[in-house]
């Protein structure tokens, strides 16, 4: 298959924000490709030849890419840099330069999907001495044979800036329609994705062996399972009602979630974003190696910083310092950690995700040798309100955020879903209308006075998974210390883009007021006093009242950067609607 066909589809997808249209373009593309190409095509659409959990990087900075374009076009790097500034995007700049140059070149051969995919792979795999030159040459080679439109997407792929605004869900919809003629088969594909996180592999199986083989998809060690998430509640009655009168309450530890794959002596740790972060926690790997008595297992737990003298648990922020401030060896000493285990998803070739929680916990208990540093999450079966309150107070006293209430009946591990089988109940949810939300930075306003030169306030959004859009909820200007301003400036800069990103939905009246736009990526914890109806913000637009959305009043940055969350894991639109409704109930 020609890469040109794929580039054509990508440009059509980029030009629309309607999910249905994107799906149709993809269906058309999938119908036109041969089975041997599907994995490459999925990789090229998603921006990497490998699933997200493989830490694959192209390793080419903007400057190197500019050199490749210079090699391919004969222009100087200054000319290309100038063009990039004009266009606000290196992909578009290369497209235009190539369009001018192409009139004079005759000997190019059309690019094939497989060839592009393999060359990109080679670029990523080249490392060590002399690799900079090799990478530049490989990319220049591709660009020499590329059409202008192809160049746009090759460069954006290399720089990780695809800007398509398309979610995996849309790709799965299109796969179901193209290969089974039936959109209702999407959940089968989705389940396979949730337990393997490898869409390329699933698509290939679907094309070559049919939907039945996708139904049989199995949990596989070393392939991370997309994590189950919790709903939140501030009402104990609601917890009892949702969990049918009795449930298991567990301490909700304030640390980082880990999904641990033990395959013999090999230990892999995956973060909530499914990135492999084993190297950050050699101490955890060692504990698992010696204290988990199983050959092959997938378990989950929370790693928490603690004070070695008093044994007290430390808040999440301390754990993040481990990542930012130190080399790993020093970090292990300065910020020691505990691991609290709470789930088991796979054991010696058996999939446990469809088993009830009490069974999973029992299996977990059997394979753990507990010590001070590695323990099972503290839990208790709850029947009465008093028991719940008492357990909650105990959790807070022990340095936890609150509790997790977990269903006993029908309590499978819902991979990738935020359902009511797990409910988090935190101290903040108990206060009247104060709550913290995890919101995504989508824009910024430049600061004045002491904040000149910094982003003075930020435009924050929630995520709507149904529309796959980020919708504004508030403009946040308080809670920032000077250190925060510096850190945020550095953190946000790489995500700055020249135009409003396609998946961001905001009211026309504020588009022109925003000074900087960001690709949705950075999630911040925000404390708010109240939610109100708003004529400006697009969160929950028309959902509560026609023409109105929901806004957060008096938002304040808590100082907590949620770098353990992806933009899509931010507080959802539905959660905000639920909070607003809960708030109304309390006022009544
Ligand atoms: P949130 O990140 O606010 O959606 O809350 C859910 C998170 O709580 C999970 O992703 C875990 O990182 C964390 N957590 C802490 N203790 C537990 C527990 N006992 N069971 C499940 N999750 C827990």
């Amino acid at each position: 298959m020609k890469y040109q066909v794929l580039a054509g589809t990508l440009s059509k997808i980029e030009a629309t924000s309607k999910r249905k249209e994107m799906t149709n373009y993809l269906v058309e593309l999938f119908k036109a490709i041969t089975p041997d190409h599907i994995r490459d095509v999925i990789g090229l659409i998603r921006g990497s030849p490998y699933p997200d959990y493989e830490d694959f990087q192209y390793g080419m900075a903007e400057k190197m890419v500019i050199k490749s374009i210079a090699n391919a076009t004969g222009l100087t790097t200054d000319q290309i840099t100038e063009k990039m500034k004009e266009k606000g995007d290196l992909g578009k700049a290369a497209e235009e330069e190539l369009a001018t140059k192409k009139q004079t070149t005759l000997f190019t051969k059309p690019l094939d999907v497989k060839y592009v995919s393999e060359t990109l792979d080679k670029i990523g795999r080249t490392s060590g001495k002399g690799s900079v030159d090799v990478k530049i040459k490989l990319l220049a080679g591709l660009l020499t044979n590329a059409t202008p439109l192809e160049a746009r997407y090759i460069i954006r792929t290399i720089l990780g800036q695809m800007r398509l605004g398309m979610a995996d869900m849309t790709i799965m919809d299109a796969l179901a329609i193209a290969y089974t003629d039936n959109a209702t088969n999407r959940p089968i594909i989705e389940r396979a994705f949730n337990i393997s996180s490898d869409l390329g592999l699933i698509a290939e199986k679907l094309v070559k062996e049919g939907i039945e083989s996708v139904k049989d998809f199995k949990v596989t060690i070393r392939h991370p399972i997309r994590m189950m998430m919790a709903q939140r509640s501030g009402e104990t009655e609601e917890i009892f009602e949702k969990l049918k009168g009795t449930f298991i309450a567990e301490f909700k530890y304030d640390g980082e979630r880990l999904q641990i794959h033990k395959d013999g002596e090999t230990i892999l740790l995956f973060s909530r974003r499914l990135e492999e972060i084993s190297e950050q926690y050699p101490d955890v790997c060692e504990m698992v190696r010696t204290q988990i008595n199983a050959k092959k297992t997938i378990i989950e737990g929370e790693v928490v910083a603690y004070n070695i003298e008093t044994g007290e648990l430390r808040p999440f922020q301390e754990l993040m310092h481990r990542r930012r401030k130190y080399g790993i060896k020093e970090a292990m000493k300065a910020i020691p950690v505990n691991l609290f285990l709470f789930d088991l998803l796979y054991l010696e070739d058996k999939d446990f995700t469809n088993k009830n929680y009490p069974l999973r916990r029992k299996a977990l208990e059997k394979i753990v040798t507990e010590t001070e540093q590695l323990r099972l999450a503290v839990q208790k079966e709850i029947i009465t309100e008093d028991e719940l309150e008492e357990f909650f107070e105990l959790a807070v006293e022990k340095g936890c955020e609150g509790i997790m209430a977990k269903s006993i009946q029908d309590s499978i591990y819902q991979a990738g879903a935020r359902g009511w089988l797990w409910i988090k109940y935190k101290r903040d949810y108990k206060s009247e209308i104060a709550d913290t939300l995890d919101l995504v930075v989508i824009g910024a306003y430049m600061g004045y006075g002491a904040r000149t030169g910094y982003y003075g306030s930020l435009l924050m959004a929630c995520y709507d998974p149904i529309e796959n859009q980020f919708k504004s909820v508030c403009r946040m200007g308080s809670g920032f210390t000077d250190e925060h301003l510096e850190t945020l400036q550095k953190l946000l800069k790489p995500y700055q883009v020249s135009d409003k990103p396609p998946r961001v939905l905001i009211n026309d009246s504020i588009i022109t007021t925003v000074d900087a736009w960001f690709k949705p990526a950075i999630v911040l914890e925000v404390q708010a006093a109240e939610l109100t109806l708003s004529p400006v913000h697009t969160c929950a637009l028309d959902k509560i009242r026609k023409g109105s959305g929901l806004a957060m009043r008096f938002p304040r940055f808590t100082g907590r950067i949620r770098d353990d969350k992806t933009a899509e894991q931010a507080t959802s639109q539905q959660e905000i609607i639920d909070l607003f409704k809960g708030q109304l109930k309390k006022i009544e």
Side-chain angles (χ1 to χ4, degrees):
M1 179 187 201
K2 300 272 174 288
Y3 183 65
Q4 207 169 345
V5 181
L6 178 59
T9 306
L10 296 179
S11 78
K12 283 195 263 178
I13 290 175
E14 191 186 338
T16 177
S17 57
K18 296 202 180 77
R19 185 168 161 184
K20 227 183 150 75
E21 280 179 20
M22 293 184 186
T23 314
N24 291 342
Y25 294 138
L26 279 183
V27 170
E28 225 174 277
L29 176 79
F30 289 157
K31 284 193 166 161
I33 58 184
T34 52
D36 281 340
H37 282 144
I38 182 78
R39 235 179 146 150
D40 295 309
V41 168
I42 297 282
L44 289 168
I45 293 173
R46 297 182 81 249
S48 163
Y50 300 98
D52 301 340
Y53 60 83
E54 300 239 351
D55 185 23
F56 178 84
Q57 310 273 348
Y58 294 108
M60 286 191 81
E62 204 168 75
K63 277 213 170 104
M64 288 164 70
V65 175
I66 291 176
K67 275 198 186 142
S68 296
I69 303 172
N71 283 4
T73 57
L75 295 168
T76 66
T77 52
D78 284 349
Q79 283 170 313
I80 296 159
T81 310
E82 204 45 46
K83 191 58 144 194
M84 174 179 79
K85 281 194 189 136
E86 182 195 320
K87 293 273 146 198
D89 164 24
L90 195 51
K92 278 234 160 110
E95 180 178 8
E96 217 171 280
E97 299 295 15
L98 247 72
T100 333
K101 182 215 144 207
K102 280 284 141 147
Q103 293 151 6
T104 54
T105 357
L106 292 171
F107 303 103
T108 55
K109 60 171 196 270
L111 291 173
D112 174 67
V113 160
K114 223 170 189 75
Y115 179 71
V116 174
S117 184
E118 279 167 9
T119 311
L120 291 178
D121 189 23
K122 241 188 246 163
I123 291 176
R125 298 205 166 269
T126 305
S127 63
K129 214 167 152 243
S131 64
V132 168
D133 287 339
V134 178
K135 283 175 197 270
I136 291 173
K137 249 194 215 135
L138 284 167
L139 178 58
L142 272 184
L143 294 176
T144 310
N145 289 308
T147 65
L149 190 66
E150 287 175 326
R152 186 203 297 177
Y153 291 107
I154 290 171
I155 282 165
R156 286 190 185 166
T157 306
I158 289 276
L159 292 174
Q161 301 170 344
M162 283 299 264
R163 306 180 181 198
L164 295 176
M166 186 174 56
D168 285 332
M169 213 53 100
T170 311
I171 305 181
M172 289 190 257
D173 273 333
L175 284 170
I177 299 169
Y179 298 119
T180 74
D181 263 339
N182 192 348
T184 59
N185 280 327
R186 207 272 316 280
I188 298 173
I189 300 172
E190 199 182 334
R191 154 97 188 148
F193 182 53
N194 284 337
I195 61 170
S196 73
S197 313
D198 190 344
L199 204 48
L201 179 69
I202 297 160
E204 189 173 64
K205 244 185 150 34
L206 176 67
V207 179
K208 293 188 171 168
E209 298 166 39
I211 191 79
E212 287 306 313
S213 75
V214 179
K215 255 186 215 160
D216 284 344
F217 222 82
K218 298 268 186 314
V219 168
T220 320
I221 198 132
R222 298 180 186 231
H223 288 216
I225 299 169
R226 297 184 70 227
M227 292 188 193
M228 173 167 176
M229 290 167 296
Q231 286 285 0
R232 70 171 79 199
S233 180
E235 309 277 343
T236 51
E237 284 150 43
E238 185 178 43
I239 300 178
F240 277 94
E241 186 201 319
K242 294 276 186 202
L243 299 178
K244 309 196 177 87
T246 166
F247 52 88
I248 293 166
E250 268 174 17
F251 283 7
K252 182 179 189 303
Y253 299 95
D254 188 15
E256 178 168 24
R257 172 116 165 234
L258 292 180
Q259 188 177 96
I260 303 166
H261 291 229
K262 178 174 192 291
D263 187 3
E265 289 298 294
T266 309
I267 315 292
L268 300 179
L269 308 181
F270 293 99
S271 73
R272 212 188 142 98
R273 312 169 68 138
L274 304 186
E275 285 161 343
E276 209 228 288
I277 52 167
S278 321
E279 279 181 6
Q280 280 173 32
Y281 294 109
D283 37 2
V284 172
C285 291
E286 191 49 32
M287 282 187 235
V288 171
R289 207 170 279 125
T290 53
Q291 289 168 248
I292 300 296
N293 312 305
K295 269 204 197 100
K296 276 187 185 186
T297 187
I298 303 176
I299 51 180
E300 280 193 2
E302 189 90 352
V303 58
V304 189
Y306 82 107
N307 181 324
I308 206 159
E309 271 145 33
T310 62
E312 276 168 21
L313 299 181
R314 312 287 306 135
F316 170 82
Q317 281 95 323
E318 298 252 331
L319 193 66
M320 289 298 121
H321 282 155
R322 185 173 163 129
R323 213 178 266 179
R324 294 208 188 98
K325 287 201 175 153
Y326 304 93
I328 289 298
K329 275 213 179 112
E330 300 159 279
M332 288 201 302
K333 258 207 200 131
I335 307 173
V337 293
N338 283 176
L339 176 66
F340 296 94
L341 293 169
F342 54 74
D343 219 320
L344 179 143
L345 313 181
Y346 174 92
L347 180 62
E348 316 298 10
D349 291 326
K350 272 208 201 82
D351 178 355
F352 273 67
T353 56
N354 278 329
K355 295 192 195 295
N356 278 341
Y357 183 52
L359 267 174
R360 304 204 302 276
R361 166 86 185 201
K362 262 210 192 91
L364 178 65
E365 285 171 9
K366 276 200 189 135
I367 61 166
V368 178
T369 308
E370 285 190 286
T371 55
E372 263 315 290
Q373 272 77 52
L374 181 144
R375 277 174 277 168
L376 289 148
V378 176
Q379 62 166 215
K380 182 178 164 67
E381 191 167 332
I382 301 289
I383 303 172
T384 67
E385 289 256 353
D386 284 351
E387 280 172 349
L388 180 62
E389 285 299 327
E390 200 183 307
F391 191 70
F392 177 83
E393 293 304 333
L394 179 69
V396 173
E397 192 190 304
K398 297 283 182 196
C400 295
E401 276 186 300
I403 57 151
M404 279 290 225
K406 298 187 174 180
S407 170
I408 297 177
Q409 303 160 30
D410 302 327
S411 51
I412 61 160
Y413 185 91
Q414 287 181 313
R418 185 187 294 285
W420 286 99
L421 296 183
W422 282 7
I423 305 174
K424 52 189 171 180
Y425 180 55
K426 292 205 279 190
R427 170 130 284 168
D428 341 324
Y429 310 153
K430 293 186 72 185
S431 64
E432 271 306 289
I433 32 184
D435 207 337
T436 66
L437 301 184
D438 298 323
L439 301 177
V440 187
V441 186
I442 52 171
Y445 301 85
M446 292 320 286
Y448 298 101
R451 291 191 188 172
T452 305
Y454 291 106
Y455 302 129
S457 58
L458 303 174
L459 186 61
M460 308 298 296
C462 65
Y463 179 59
D464 173 1
I466 298 167
E467 304 284 339
N468 184 28
Q469 278 176 329
F470 294 89
K471 302 181 174 177
S472 74
V473 204
C474 62
R475 175 175 172 171
M476 174 168 77
S478 71
F480 301 115
T481 61
D482 290 349
E483 199 188 334
H484 291 148
L485 290 174
E486 291 258 1
T487 312
L488 287 171
Q489 189 91 3
K490 275 197 212 122
L491 208 59
L492 286 166
K493 202 89 211 159
Y495 298 100
Q496 191 166 342
V497 286
S498 50
D499 298 311
K500 183 185 77 60
R503 286 196 294 166
V504 166
L505 185 77
I506 67 167
N507 191 299
D508 284 347
S509 67
I510 53 174
I511 288 191
T512 49
T513 66
V514 176
D515 294 317
W517 293 106
F518 303 104
K519 206 170 127 187
I522 301 295
V523 180
L524 305 181
E525 189 179 76
V526 182
Q527 177 83 45
E530 196 183 349
L531 290 163
T532 58
L533 285 169
S534 155
V536 174
H537 290 290
T538 47
C539 164
L541 185 63
D542 297 335
K543 298 271 183 219
I544 310 248
R545 184 185 296 161
K546 193 113 200 84
S548 291
L550 283 178
M552 222 184 199
R553 290 184 67 199
F554 314 120
R556 193 173 52 78
F557 179 43
T558 64
R560 193 162 166 171
I561 297 164
R562 296 295 310 248
D563 41 12
D564 59 327
K565 287 197 168 183
T566 62
E568 287 78 6
Q569 287 170 339
T571 299
S572 69
Q573 168 172 278
Q574 190 56 44
E575 282 179 88
I576 295 183
I577 294 174
D578 292 344
L579 278 174
F580 180 71
K581 288 187 177 158
Q583 176 186 305
L584 289 184
K585 243 199 280 170
K586 277 183 190 147
I587 296 167
E588 278 165 15

